[in-house]
Amino acid sequence: MKKSLFIALLLLLAALPLAAQQYKYEVGPTLGVTGYLGDVNNSNLFKHPGVTGGGLFRYAHNSRWAFKATLNYASISGDSKDIELKFPEEEQFHFSSSLIDVGFTAEFNFLNYGRGPTYKKYKPITPYMVAGVGFVFAFNDVGNQASFTVPIGIGVKYKFKERLDLGFEFTMRKEFSDRIDGLSDLFGIKHSFAKNTDWYSFAMFSVSYSFGKRCIKCNYIE
């Protein structure tokens, strides 16, 4: 009887760490650099790098899919002296904008991300793809602008500890106002909603803390 209780206790203790490694939510800070492509920069994305910082909230649907909300403050800038293209009457343009970026994205992990039973083939590190929708609010000398965005990119995340994740993500964000740089129609040619010239990018590191244990029934982690 005592031997049976001892074995049962060992099995219970062995199962607890596996269960504790499965959490539904993550929250944490982000920090990185920004790039810009647009009216006064058509080639070198990081010619005038800016900074970005903010936070993320992620819902891990399963080991392959996750959904994320982000809020970031960023700066971008550019100068027409950096490009060979000449504007009418040899005019020069430069700008500096502050951005508030809100994103809602889906992540697809190429590997079963997480830590757990060997038979589930979890991997503590995985590359992933990310895409979604968002909004950007830009502030510059011309005025305030708001626009829809489409963020797309790639990343990699590493489960450093049971409840601590490290990540790096690079995304390009297509915006649809053509005004986040305060410059538009510099040649007098109107751009359509879908064919404006402005893009910006985030290359960010993140640290996130996991919480919200999954429901466990009969040693099955849902």
Side-chain angles (χ1 to χ4, degrees):
M1 182 66 177
K2 291 182 178 180
K3 185 177 180 180
S4 298
L5 289 175
F6 179 71
I7 293 174
L9 180 60
L10 287 179
L11 291 174
L12 178 60
L13 292 175
L16 285 177
L18 301 180
Q21 289 165 351
Q22 301 301 312
Y23 298 91
K24 294 183 289 186
Y25 310 112
E26 297 174 33
V27 63
T30 60
L31 183 66
V33 297
T34 60
Y36 155 81
L37 290 176
D39 294 284
V40 294
N41 183 15
N42 53 21
S43 59
N44 190 341
L45 182 64
F46 293 105
K47 182 68 175 180
H48 294 279
V51 296
T52 181
L56 66 84
F57 175 84
R58 178 185 283 124
Y59 167 65
H61 180 63
N62 54 40
S63 62
R64 287 299 184 108
W65 286 97
F67 301 93
K68 182 172 64 181
T70 56
L71 175 63
N72 291 285
Y73 175 84
S75 62
I76 59 172
S77 60
D79 196 317
S80 61
K81 293 180 181 179
D82 299 326
I83 61 176
E84 297 180 358
L85 188 66
K86 301 300 180 182
F87 294 101
E89 300 180 3
E90 300 294 322
E91 286 190 89
Q92 297 293 323
F93 300 94
H94 66 274
F95 79 94
S96 179
S97 295
S98 297
L99 309 178
I100 295 177
D101 178 271
V102 181
F104 303 95
T105 54
E107 298 175 353
F108 174 73
N109 301 323
F110 290 101
L111 303 174
N112 289 327
Y113 182 63
R115 292 183 183 272
T118 303
Y119 75 89
K120 288 194 173 182
K121 299 182 179 180
Y122 285 136
K123 301 296 182 182
I125 186 169
T126 183
Y128 64 89
M129 297 187 303
V130 59
V133 296
F135 305 92
V136 63
F137 303 92
F139 308 91
N140 49 52
D141 293 338
V142 175
N144 303 334
Q145 302 291 330
S147 174
F148 289 102
T149 62
V150 175
I152 53 174
I154 57 175
V156 60
K157 47 192 171 184
Y158 172 57
K159 188 166 283 296
F160 181 69
K161 294 289 186 180
E162 184 179 308
R163 303 180 72 168
L164 185 65
D165 296 76
L166 307 179
F168 174 78
E169 182 177 287
F170 175 79
T171 55
M172 291 294 297
R173 281 160 156 77
K174 175 64 175 176
E175 69 87 31
F176 293 97
S177 74
D178 197 33
R179 299 288 294 182
I180 63 168
D181 52 11
L183 307 171
S184 184
D185 310 322
L186 298 183
F187 291 96
I189 301 173
K190 296 291 184 180
H191 291 109
S192 69
F193 175 80
K195 294 185 178 181
N196 66 73
T197 58
D198 292 344
W199 293 74
Y200 62 101
S201 68
F202 289 164
M204 296 191 303
F205 292 92
S206 65
V207 179
S208 58
Y209 174 79
S210 299
F211 65 99
K213 289 184 179 181
R214 296 186 182 278
C215 178
I216 302 170
K217 296 179 180 178
C218 300
N219 281 339
Y220 174 73
I221 302 176
E222 296 183 338

